[in-house]
Short mmCIF file of all heavy atoms in Angstrom, two decimals:
data_model
loop_
_atom_site.label_atom_id
_atom_site.label_comp_id
_atom_site.label_asym_id
_atom_site.label_seq_id
_atom_site.Cartn_x
_atom_site.Cartn_y
_atom_site.Cartn_z
N MET A 1 22.03 14.34 4.57
CA MET A 1 21.15 13.41 5.27
C MET A 1 21.44 12.00 4.81
O MET A 1 21.66 11.74 3.64
CB MET A 1 19.68 13.72 4.98
CG MET A 1 19.15 14.99 5.60
SD MET A 1 17.41 15.23 5.19
CE MET A 1 16.67 14.53 6.62
N SER A 2 21.39 11.11 5.74
CA SER A 2 21.58 9.71 5.38
C SER A 2 20.27 9.14 4.82
O SER A 2 19.20 9.74 4.94
CB SER A 2 22.02 8.90 6.60
OG SER A 2 20.94 8.77 7.49
N ILE A 3 20.38 7.98 4.24
CA ILE A 3 19.19 7.33 3.66
C ILE A 3 18.18 7.02 4.75
O ILE A 3 16.97 7.16 4.55
CB ILE A 3 19.62 6.06 2.91
CG1 ILE A 3 20.47 6.44 1.70
CG2 ILE A 3 18.42 5.25 2.48
CD1 ILE A 3 21.04 5.27 0.95
N LEU A 4 18.65 6.63 5.92
CA LEU A 4 17.76 6.31 7.02
C LEU A 4 16.97 7.56 7.47
O LEU A 4 15.77 7.48 7.72
CB LEU A 4 18.54 5.74 8.20
CG LEU A 4 17.72 5.31 9.40
CD1 LEU A 4 16.72 4.24 9.00
CD2 LEU A 4 18.63 4.80 10.51
N GLU A 5 17.65 8.70 7.53
CA GLU A 5 16.96 9.94 7.92
C GLU A 5 15.93 10.35 6.88
O GLU A 5 14.84 10.81 7.23
CB GLU A 5 17.99 11.06 8.11
CG GLU A 5 18.87 10.88 9.32
CD GLU A 5 20.01 11.88 9.36
OE1 GLU A 5 20.46 12.30 8.29
OE2 GLU A 5 20.43 12.22 10.47
N ILE A 6 16.26 10.19 5.63
CA ILE A 6 15.32 10.53 4.56
C ILE A 6 14.10 9.61 4.62
O ILE A 6 12.95 10.07 4.50
CB ILE A 6 16.01 10.44 3.18
CG1 ILE A 6 17.08 11.52 3.06
CG2 ILE A 6 14.98 10.57 2.06
CD1 ILE A 6 17.96 11.37 1.84
N ALA A 7 14.32 8.32 4.84
CA ALA A 7 13.22 7.38 4.93
C ALA A 7 12.33 7.69 6.12
O ALA A 7 11.09 7.64 6.03
CB ALA A 7 13.75 5.95 5.02
N LEU A 8 12.94 8.02 7.26
CA LEU A 8 12.17 8.36 8.46
C LEU A 8 11.36 9.63 8.25
O LEU A 8 10.17 9.70 8.61
CB LEU A 8 13.11 8.51 9.66
CG LEU A 8 12.45 8.74 11.00
CD1 LEU A 8 11.52 7.58 11.34
CD2 LEU A 8 13.50 8.91 12.07
N ALA A 9 11.97 10.65 7.65
CA ALA A 9 11.25 11.90 7.38
C ALA A 9 10.10 11.66 6.40
O ALA A 9 9.01 12.23 6.55
CB ALA A 9 12.21 12.95 6.82
N SER A 10 10.32 10.82 5.41
CA SER A 10 9.28 10.50 4.44
C SER A 10 8.11 9.78 5.11
O SER A 10 6.94 10.06 4.83
CB SER A 10 9.86 9.65 3.32
OG SER A 10 8.85 9.24 2.44
N GLN A 11 8.43 8.87 6.02
CA GLN A 11 7.39 8.14 6.74
C GLN A 11 6.58 9.07 7.63
O GLN A 11 5.35 8.99 7.68
CB GLN A 11 8.03 7.03 7.58
CG GLN A 11 7.06 6.15 8.30
CD GLN A 11 6.27 5.26 7.35
OE1 GLN A 11 6.66 5.03 6.22
NE2 GLN A 11 5.14 4.78 7.81
N ILE A 12 7.25 9.98 8.31
CA ILE A 12 6.55 10.94 9.18
C ILE A 12 5.65 11.84 8.34
O ILE A 12 4.50 12.10 8.69
CB ILE A 12 7.58 11.77 9.99
CG1 ILE A 12 8.27 10.87 11.01
CG2 ILE A 12 6.90 12.96 10.68
CD1 ILE A 12 9.45 11.53 11.69
N TRP A 13 6.16 12.33 7.19
CA TRP A 13 5.37 13.20 6.34
C TRP A 13 4.14 12.46 5.81
O TRP A 13 3.04 13.00 5.77
CB TRP A 13 6.23 13.69 5.16
CG TRP A 13 5.51 14.65 4.29
CD1 TRP A 13 5.41 15.99 4.44
CD2 TRP A 13 4.75 14.33 3.11
NE1 TRP A 13 4.66 16.53 3.43
CE2 TRP A 13 4.23 15.54 2.61
CE3 TRP A 13 4.46 13.15 2.44
CZ2 TRP A 13 3.46 15.58 1.47
CZ3 TRP A 13 3.67 13.21 1.31
CH2 TRP A 13 3.19 14.41 0.84
N ALA A 14 4.32 11.19 5.42
CA ALA A 14 3.20 10.40 4.89
C ALA A 14 2.15 10.17 5.96
O ALA A 14 0.95 10.23 5.68
CB ALA A 14 3.72 9.07 4.35
N ARG A 15 2.56 9.91 7.18
CA ARG A 15 1.59 9.69 8.26
C ARG A 15 0.80 10.95 8.57
O ARG A 15 -0.38 10.87 8.90
CB ARG A 15 2.32 9.24 9.53
CG ARG A 15 2.89 7.86 9.38
CD ARG A 15 2.34 6.99 10.42
NE ARG A 15 2.80 5.63 10.18
CZ ARG A 15 2.65 4.69 11.05
NH1 ARG A 15 2.07 4.93 12.19
NH2 ARG A 15 3.05 3.48 10.77
N ARG A 16 1.43 12.09 8.48
CA ARG A 16 0.73 13.35 8.77
C ARG A 16 -0.27 13.70 7.67
O ARG A 16 -1.25 14.38 7.93
CB ARG A 16 1.74 14.49 8.92
CG ARG A 16 2.49 14.43 10.20
CD ARG A 16 3.40 15.61 10.37
NE ARG A 16 4.14 15.53 11.61
CZ ARG A 16 5.18 16.28 11.89
NH1 ARG A 16 5.61 17.18 11.02
NH2 ARG A 16 5.80 16.14 13.04
N HIS A 17 -0.01 13.27 6.46
CA HIS A 17 -0.86 13.66 5.34
C HIS A 17 -1.80 12.56 4.86
O HIS A 17 -2.47 12.71 3.84
CB HIS A 17 0.01 14.15 4.18
CG HIS A 17 0.70 15.43 4.47
ND1 HIS A 17 1.92 15.50 5.09
CD2 HIS A 17 0.32 16.71 4.25
CE1 HIS A 17 2.28 16.75 5.23
NE2 HIS A 17 1.32 17.52 4.74
N GLU A 18 -1.84 11.43 5.56
CA GLU A 18 -2.73 10.37 5.12
C GLU A 18 -4.17 10.69 5.53
O GLU A 18 -4.42 11.35 6.53
CB GLU A 18 -2.30 9.02 5.71
CG GLU A 18 -2.57 8.86 7.18
CD GLU A 18 -2.11 7.51 7.70
OE1 GLU A 18 -1.76 6.64 6.89
OE2 GLU A 18 -2.11 7.34 8.92
N LYS A 19 -5.08 10.20 4.73
CA LYS A 19 -6.50 10.40 5.00
C LYS A 19 -7.02 9.15 5.70
O LYS A 19 -6.76 8.04 5.28
CB LYS A 19 -7.27 10.64 3.70
CG LYS A 19 -6.88 11.92 3.03
CD LYS A 19 -7.65 12.11 1.74
CE LYS A 19 -7.20 13.39 1.06
NZ LYS A 19 -7.80 13.54 -0.25
N ARG A 20 -7.77 9.36 6.72
CA ARG A 20 -8.34 8.23 7.45
C ARG A 20 -9.52 7.67 6.68
O ARG A 20 -10.42 8.40 6.25
CB ARG A 20 -8.81 8.67 8.84
CG ARG A 20 -7.73 9.27 9.68
CD ARG A 20 -6.83 8.20 10.22
NE ARG A 20 -5.76 8.78 11.02
CZ ARG A 20 -4.63 8.18 11.25
NH1 ARG A 20 -4.41 6.99 10.76
NH2 ARG A 20 -3.71 8.76 11.98
N ARG A 21 -9.53 6.34 6.49
CA ARG A 21 -10.65 5.69 5.81
C ARG A 21 -11.78 5.45 6.80
O ARG A 21 -11.54 5.07 7.94
CB ARG A 21 -10.22 4.35 5.24
CG ARG A 21 -9.63 4.47 3.87
CD ARG A 21 -9.39 3.10 3.27
NE ARG A 21 -10.59 2.30 3.16
CZ ARG A 21 -11.32 2.20 2.05
NH1 ARG A 21 -10.99 2.89 1.00
NH2 ARG A 21 -12.37 1.43 2.03
N PRO A 22 -12.99 5.65 6.34
CA PRO A 22 -14.12 5.30 7.21
C PRO A 22 -14.21 3.78 7.39
O PRO A 22 -13.52 3.03 6.72
CB PRO A 22 -15.34 5.84 6.45
CG PRO A 22 -14.90 5.95 5.04
CD PRO A 22 -13.42 6.19 5.07
N ALA A 23 -15.06 3.37 8.28
CA ALA A 23 -15.22 1.94 8.55
C ALA A 23 -15.71 1.21 7.30
O ALA A 23 -16.21 1.82 6.36
CB ALA A 23 -16.22 1.75 9.69
N PHE A 24 -15.59 -0.10 7.32
CA PHE A 24 -16.01 -0.93 6.18
C PHE A 24 -17.49 -0.71 5.89
O PHE A 24 -18.31 -0.71 6.80
CB PHE A 24 -15.75 -2.40 6.50
CG PHE A 24 -16.09 -3.33 5.38
CD1 PHE A 24 -15.26 -3.43 4.28
CD2 PHE A 24 -17.24 -4.09 5.41
CE1 PHE A 24 -15.57 -4.29 3.25
CE2 PHE A 24 -17.56 -4.95 4.39
CZ PHE A 24 -16.71 -5.05 3.30
N ASP A 25 -17.79 -0.52 4.64
CA ASP A 25 -19.15 -0.26 4.20
C ASP A 25 -19.64 -1.45 3.38
O ASP A 25 -18.85 -2.18 2.79
CB ASP A 25 -19.17 1.01 3.35
CG ASP A 25 -20.55 1.57 3.14
OD1 ASP A 25 -21.50 1.01 3.72
OD2 ASP A 25 -20.68 2.56 2.41
N GLU A 26 -20.95 -1.67 3.34
CA GLU A 26 -21.48 -2.79 2.56
C GLU A 26 -21.17 -2.65 1.09
O GLU A 26 -20.96 -3.64 0.39
CB GLU A 26 -22.99 -2.91 2.77
CG GLU A 26 -23.38 -3.42 4.14
CD GLU A 26 -24.87 -3.58 4.28
OE1 GLU A 26 -25.58 -3.59 3.26
OE2 GLU A 26 -25.33 -3.71 5.42
N SER A 27 -21.13 -1.42 0.59
CA SER A 27 -20.83 -1.23 -0.83
C SER A 27 -19.38 -1.59 -1.14
O SER A 27 -19.06 -1.94 -2.27
CB SER A 27 -21.10 0.22 -1.24
OG SER A 27 -20.25 1.10 -0.54
N ASP A 28 -18.49 -1.54 -0.13
CA ASP A 28 -17.11 -1.96 -0.35
C ASP A 28 -17.05 -3.45 -0.69
O ASP A 28 -16.27 -3.86 -1.54
CB ASP A 28 -16.25 -1.68 0.89
CG ASP A 28 -16.05 -0.21 1.15
OD1 ASP A 28 -16.23 0.59 0.21
OD2 ASP A 28 -15.70 0.15 2.29
N GLY A 29 -17.87 -4.24 -0.01
CA GLY A 29 -17.91 -5.68 -0.29
C GLY A 29 -18.37 -5.96 -1.70
O GLY A 29 -17.83 -6.84 -2.38
N LEU A 30 -19.36 -5.21 -2.18
CA LEU A 30 -19.84 -5.40 -3.55
C LEU A 30 -18.78 -4.98 -4.56
O LEU A 30 -18.62 -5.62 -5.60
CB LEU A 30 -21.12 -4.60 -3.76
CG LEU A 30 -22.34 -5.09 -2.97
CD1 LEU A 30 -23.53 -4.16 -3.18
CD2 LEU A 30 -22.70 -6.51 -3.39
N LYS A 31 -18.04 -3.93 -4.24
CA LYS A 31 -16.97 -3.50 -5.14
C LYS A 31 -15.88 -4.56 -5.22
O LYS A 31 -15.39 -4.88 -6.30
CB LYS A 31 -16.35 -2.19 -4.64
CG LYS A 31 -17.20 -0.97 -4.86
CD LYS A 31 -16.49 0.26 -4.32
CE LYS A 31 -17.39 1.47 -4.34
NZ LYS A 31 -16.74 2.64 -3.73
N ILE A 32 -15.52 -5.11 -4.08
CA ILE A 32 -14.48 -6.15 -4.05
C ILE A 32 -14.95 -7.37 -4.83
O ILE A 32 -14.19 -7.94 -5.63
CB ILE A 32 -14.13 -6.52 -2.60
CG1 ILE A 32 -13.44 -5.35 -1.91
CG2 ILE A 32 -13.28 -7.77 -2.54
CD1 ILE A 32 -13.28 -5.52 -0.42
N LEU A 33 -16.20 -7.78 -4.62
CA LEU A 33 -16.74 -8.94 -5.32
C LEU A 33 -16.79 -8.72 -6.83
O LEU A 33 -16.39 -9.58 -7.61
CB LEU A 33 -18.13 -9.27 -4.78
CG LEU A 33 -18.80 -10.51 -5.34
CD1 LEU A 33 -17.98 -11.75 -4.98
CD2 LEU A 33 -20.20 -10.65 -4.80
N SER A 34 -17.24 -7.54 -7.25
CA SER A 34 -17.34 -7.27 -8.69
C SER A 34 -15.95 -7.18 -9.33
O SER A 34 -15.75 -7.65 -10.44
CB SER A 34 -18.14 -5.99 -8.95
OG SER A 34 -17.46 -4.88 -8.43
N ARG A 35 -14.99 -6.59 -8.63
CA ARG A 35 -13.64 -6.50 -9.18
C ARG A 35 -12.99 -7.88 -9.27
O ARG A 35 -12.28 -8.18 -10.23
CB ARG A 35 -12.77 -5.58 -8.33
CG ARG A 35 -13.16 -4.13 -8.48
CD ARG A 35 -12.34 -3.22 -7.61
NE ARG A 35 -12.79 -1.84 -7.74
CZ ARG A 35 -12.36 -0.86 -6.99
NH1 ARG A 35 -11.49 -1.07 -6.04
NH2 ARG A 35 -12.82 0.37 -7.19
N THR A 36 -13.26 -8.72 -8.28
CA THR A 36 -12.72 -10.08 -8.31
C THR A 36 -13.32 -10.87 -9.47
O THR A 36 -12.60 -11.56 -10.20
CB THR A 36 -13.00 -10.80 -6.98
OG1 THR A 36 -12.45 -10.03 -5.91
CG2 THR A 36 -12.41 -12.19 -6.97
N ALA A 37 -14.63 -10.76 -9.64
CA ALA A 37 -15.30 -11.45 -10.75
C ALA A 37 -14.78 -10.94 -12.09
O ALA A 37 -14.52 -11.73 -13.01
CB ALA A 37 -16.80 -11.27 -10.66
N PHE A 38 -14.59 -9.64 -12.21
CA PHE A 38 -14.07 -9.05 -13.45
C PHE A 38 -12.66 -9.56 -13.73
O PHE A 38 -12.32 -9.89 -14.88
CB PHE A 38 -14.08 -7.53 -13.35
CG PHE A 38 -13.60 -6.83 -14.58
CD1 PHE A 38 -14.41 -6.74 -15.69
CD2 PHE A 38 -12.33 -6.27 -14.62
CE1 PHE A 38 -13.97 -6.10 -16.84
CE2 PHE A 38 -11.88 -5.63 -15.75
CZ PHE A 38 -12.70 -5.54 -16.86
N ALA A 39 -11.84 -9.66 -12.70
CA ALA A 39 -10.47 -10.14 -12.88
C ALA A 39 -10.46 -11.60 -13.31
O ALA A 39 -9.67 -12.00 -14.18
CB ALA A 39 -9.67 -9.96 -11.60
N ILE A 40 -11.32 -12.42 -12.72
CA ILE A 40 -11.37 -13.84 -13.08
C ILE A 40 -11.84 -14.01 -14.52
O ILE A 40 -11.27 -14.80 -15.28
CB ILE A 40 -12.28 -14.60 -12.09
CG1 ILE A 40 -11.59 -14.68 -10.73
CG2 ILE A 40 -12.61 -16.00 -12.61
CD1 ILE A 40 -12.47 -15.22 -9.63
N VAL A 41 -12.88 -13.28 -14.90
CA VAL A 41 -13.38 -13.37 -16.28
C VAL A 41 -12.32 -12.88 -17.26
O VAL A 41 -12.07 -13.51 -18.29
CB VAL A 41 -14.69 -12.56 -16.43
CG1 VAL A 41 -15.07 -12.41 -17.89
CG2 VAL A 41 -15.81 -13.24 -15.66
N GLY A 42 -11.65 -11.78 -16.92
CA GLY A 42 -10.60 -11.27 -17.80
C GLY A 42 -9.45 -12.24 -17.94
O GLY A 42 -8.93 -12.45 -19.05
N PHE A 43 -9.03 -12.85 -16.83
CA PHE A 43 -7.95 -13.81 -16.89
C PHE A 43 -8.35 -15.04 -17.70
O PHE A 43 -7.56 -15.56 -18.48
CB PHE A 43 -7.55 -14.21 -15.46
CG PHE A 43 -6.36 -15.11 -15.41
CD1 PHE A 43 -5.10 -14.63 -15.69
CD2 PHE A 43 -6.50 -16.45 -15.08
CE1 PHE A 43 -3.99 -15.46 -15.64
CE2 PHE A 43 -5.41 -17.29 -15.02
CZ PHE A 43 -4.15 -16.79 -15.30
N THR A 44 -9.58 -15.48 -17.54
CA THR A 44 -10.07 -16.63 -18.30
C THR A 44 -10.08 -16.33 -19.79
O THR A 44 -9.66 -17.15 -20.62
CB THR A 44 -11.49 -17.02 -17.83
OG1 THR A 44 -11.44 -17.29 -16.43
CG2 THR A 44 -12.01 -18.22 -18.57
N LEU A 45 -10.54 -15.14 -20.16
CA LEU A 45 -10.54 -14.75 -21.57
C LEU A 45 -9.12 -14.61 -22.12
O LEU A 45 -8.87 -14.97 -23.27
CB LEU A 45 -11.31 -13.44 -21.76
CG LEU A 45 -12.83 -13.54 -21.55
CD1 LEU A 45 -13.46 -12.16 -21.63
CD2 LEU A 45 -13.45 -14.48 -22.56
N LEU A 46 -8.22 -14.11 -21.30
CA LEU A 46 -6.82 -14.00 -21.73
C LEU A 46 -6.22 -15.37 -22.01
O LEU A 46 -5.60 -15.58 -23.06
CB LEU A 46 -6.00 -13.28 -20.65
CG LEU A 46 -4.50 -13.22 -20.89
CD1 LEU A 46 -4.21 -12.30 -22.06
CD2 LEU A 46 -3.78 -12.75 -19.65
N ILE A 47 -6.43 -16.32 -21.11
CA ILE A 47 -5.91 -17.67 -21.31
C ILE A 47 -6.55 -18.32 -22.53
O ILE A 47 -5.87 -18.97 -23.34
CB ILE A 47 -6.13 -18.53 -20.05
CG1 ILE A 47 -5.35 -17.95 -18.87
CG2 ILE A 47 -5.76 -19.98 -20.29
CD1 ILE A 47 -3.86 -17.92 -19.08
N ALA A 48 -7.86 -18.14 -22.70
CA ALA A 48 -8.54 -18.71 -23.86
C ALA A 48 -8.01 -18.10 -25.15
O ALA A 48 -7.80 -18.80 -26.15
CB ALA A 48 -10.05 -18.49 -23.76
N GLY A 49 -7.77 -16.79 -25.14
CA GLY A 49 -7.21 -16.14 -26.33
C GLY A 49 -5.81 -16.61 -26.65
O GLY A 49 -5.46 -16.82 -27.82
N LEU A 50 -4.98 -16.79 -25.62
CA LEU A 50 -3.63 -17.28 -25.85
C LEU A 50 -3.64 -18.71 -26.37
O LEU A 50 -2.85 -19.07 -27.26
CB LEU A 50 -2.82 -17.20 -24.55
CG LEU A 50 -2.46 -15.79 -24.09
CD1 LEU A 50 -1.81 -15.84 -22.72
CD2 LEU A 50 -1.55 -15.11 -25.10
N ASN A 51 -4.54 -19.53 -25.85
CA ASN A 51 -4.65 -20.91 -26.35
C ASN A 51 -5.15 -20.94 -27.78
O ASN A 51 -4.69 -21.75 -28.59
CB ASN A 51 -5.57 -21.74 -25.44
CG ASN A 51 -4.88 -22.15 -24.16
OD1 ASN A 51 -3.67 -22.30 -24.13
ND2 ASN A 51 -5.65 -22.31 -23.10
N ALA A 52 -6.09 -20.07 -28.11
CA ALA A 52 -6.60 -20.02 -29.48
C ALA A 52 -5.51 -19.52 -30.44
O ALA A 52 -5.37 -20.04 -31.56
CB ALA A 52 -7.83 -19.11 -29.56
N ALA A 53 -4.72 -18.56 -30.00
CA ALA A 53 -3.64 -18.06 -30.84
C ALA A 53 -2.55 -19.11 -31.04
O ALA A 53 -1.90 -19.15 -32.08
CB ALA A 53 -3.04 -16.80 -30.21
N ALA A 54 -2.39 -19.97 -30.07
CA ALA A 54 -1.39 -21.03 -30.18
C ALA A 54 -1.92 -22.21 -30.99
O ALA A 54 -1.18 -23.14 -31.27
CB ALA A 54 -0.98 -21.50 -28.79
N GLY A 55 -3.20 -22.18 -31.34
CA GLY A 55 -3.77 -23.24 -32.17
C GLY A 55 -4.21 -24.45 -31.39
O GLY A 55 -4.38 -25.52 -31.95
N ARG A 56 -4.40 -24.32 -30.10
CA ARG A 56 -4.86 -25.46 -29.31
C ARG A 56 -5.95 -25.01 -28.35
O ARG A 56 -5.72 -24.78 -27.18
CB ARG A 56 -3.73 -26.11 -28.55
CG ARG A 56 -2.71 -25.15 -28.02
CD ARG A 56 -1.74 -25.85 -27.15
NE ARG A 56 -1.65 -25.03 -25.95
CZ ARG A 56 -0.58 -24.87 -25.23
NH1 ARG A 56 0.50 -25.49 -25.55
NH2 ARG A 56 -0.59 -24.11 -24.19
N PRO A 57 -7.14 -24.85 -28.87
CA PRO A 57 -8.25 -24.43 -28.01
C PRO A 57 -8.58 -25.49 -26.96
O PRO A 57 -8.40 -26.68 -27.20
CB PRO A 57 -9.41 -24.23 -28.97
CG PRO A 57 -9.07 -25.06 -30.15
CD PRO A 57 -7.57 -25.07 -30.24
N GLN A 58 -9.02 -25.05 -25.84
CA GLN A 58 -9.34 -25.96 -24.74
C GLN A 58 -10.75 -26.52 -24.94
O GLN A 58 -11.73 -25.88 -24.58
CB GLN A 58 -9.27 -25.22 -23.40
CG GLN A 58 -7.90 -24.69 -23.08
CD GLN A 58 -6.91 -25.81 -22.78
OE1 GLN A 58 -7.28 -26.79 -22.16
NE2 GLN A 58 -5.69 -25.66 -23.23
N VAL A 59 -10.84 -27.69 -25.52
CA VAL A 59 -12.12 -28.34 -25.76
C VAL A 59 -12.12 -29.66 -25.00
O VAL A 59 -11.17 -30.44 -25.08
CB VAL A 59 -12.34 -28.60 -27.27
CG1 VAL A 59 -13.66 -29.33 -27.51
CG2 VAL A 59 -12.29 -27.30 -28.03
N VAL A 60 -13.19 -29.90 -24.27
CA VAL A 60 -13.31 -31.16 -23.55
C VAL A 60 -13.69 -32.24 -24.56
O VAL A 60 -14.70 -32.13 -25.26
CB VAL A 60 -14.36 -31.06 -22.43
CG1 VAL A 60 -14.52 -32.40 -21.73
CG2 VAL A 60 -13.98 -29.97 -21.46
N ASP A 61 -12.88 -33.27 -24.63
CA ASP A 61 -13.11 -34.34 -25.60
C ASP A 61 -14.23 -35.24 -25.09
O ASP A 61 -14.28 -35.60 -23.92
CB ASP A 61 -11.82 -35.14 -25.78
CG ASP A 61 -11.87 -36.02 -27.02
OD1 ASP A 61 -12.87 -35.94 -27.76
OD2 ASP A 61 -10.92 -36.78 -27.24
N GLN A 62 -15.11 -35.65 -26.00
CA GLN A 62 -16.24 -36.50 -25.64
C GLN A 62 -15.86 -37.98 -25.63
O GLN A 62 -16.62 -38.80 -25.17
CB GLN A 62 -17.40 -36.26 -26.61
CG GLN A 62 -17.93 -34.85 -26.59
CD GLN A 62 -18.52 -34.47 -25.24
OE1 GLN A 62 -19.11 -35.30 -24.56
NE2 GLN A 62 -18.36 -33.22 -24.85
N HIS A 63 -14.70 -38.31 -26.18
CA HIS A 63 -14.28 -39.70 -26.28
C HIS A 63 -13.27 -40.01 -25.17
O HIS A 63 -12.60 -39.14 -24.66
CB HIS A 63 -13.65 -39.98 -27.65
CG HIS A 63 -14.55 -39.58 -28.78
ND1 HIS A 63 -15.70 -40.27 -29.10
CD2 HIS A 63 -14.50 -38.55 -29.65
CE1 HIS A 63 -16.29 -39.69 -30.12
NE2 HIS A 63 -15.59 -38.62 -30.48
N ALA A 64 -13.19 -41.29 -24.86
CA ALA A 64 -12.23 -41.72 -23.85
C ALA A 64 -10.82 -41.53 -24.37
O ALA A 64 -10.57 -41.62 -25.59
CB ALA A 64 -12.47 -43.16 -23.48
N ALA A 65 -9.89 -41.29 -23.50
CA ALA A 65 -8.50 -41.13 -23.90
C ALA A 65 -7.96 -42.46 -24.40
O ALA A 65 -8.29 -43.53 -23.88
CB ALA A 65 -7.68 -40.66 -22.71
N PRO A 66 -7.14 -42.42 -25.46
CA PRO A 66 -6.59 -43.68 -25.98
C PRO A 66 -5.63 -44.31 -24.97
O PRO A 66 -4.91 -43.62 -24.27
CB PRO A 66 -5.86 -43.25 -27.26
CG PRO A 66 -5.58 -41.82 -27.04
CD PRO A 66 -6.68 -41.28 -26.20
N VAL A 67 -5.65 -45.62 -24.94
CA VAL A 67 -4.78 -46.36 -24.03
C VAL A 67 -3.42 -46.50 -24.67
O VAL A 67 -3.32 -46.90 -25.82
CB VAL A 67 -5.38 -47.73 -23.69
CG1 VAL A 67 -4.44 -48.51 -22.78
CG2 VAL A 67 -6.75 -47.56 -23.06
N VAL A 68 -2.40 -46.17 -23.92
CA VAL A 68 -1.05 -46.30 -24.46
C VAL A 68 -0.65 -47.77 -24.34
O VAL A 68 -0.61 -48.33 -23.24
CB VAL A 68 -0.07 -45.41 -23.68
CG1 VAL A 68 1.35 -45.60 -24.19
CG2 VAL A 68 -0.50 -43.97 -23.77
N ALA A 69 -0.36 -48.38 -25.48
CA ALA A 69 -0.01 -49.82 -25.49
C ALA A 69 1.49 -49.98 -25.49
O ALA A 69 2.23 -49.12 -25.93
CB ALA A 69 -0.61 -50.46 -26.74
N GLY A 70 1.93 -51.12 -25.03
CA GLY A 70 3.35 -51.46 -25.10
C GLY A 70 4.19 -50.85 -24.00
O GLY A 70 5.34 -50.56 -24.22
N ARG A 71 3.64 -50.70 -22.85
CA ARG A 71 4.44 -50.14 -21.75
C ARG A 71 5.34 -51.17 -21.18
O ARG A 71 5.16 -52.24 -20.91
CB ARG A 71 3.57 -49.57 -20.66
CG ARG A 71 3.03 -48.24 -21.06
CD ARG A 71 2.42 -47.58 -19.87
NE ARG A 71 1.97 -46.26 -20.25
CZ ARG A 71 1.83 -45.29 -19.42
NH1 ARG A 71 2.09 -45.43 -18.17
NH2 ARG A 71 1.39 -44.13 -19.82
#
């Protein structure tokens, strides 16, 4: 069998054995929202941890930035 025939047979087999999903449910939206929030919080903690490990924590400075003189 050629690669094209194998791919076509695999696609036909997958279509025959796939399960049909029911229509969108309200709980699906909550799952998506909670997973998105979890991913954002996790990514934020990962970046904060990497910055802390590098020795440069992200702190907002309360003072004005120094003016570069002699340009």
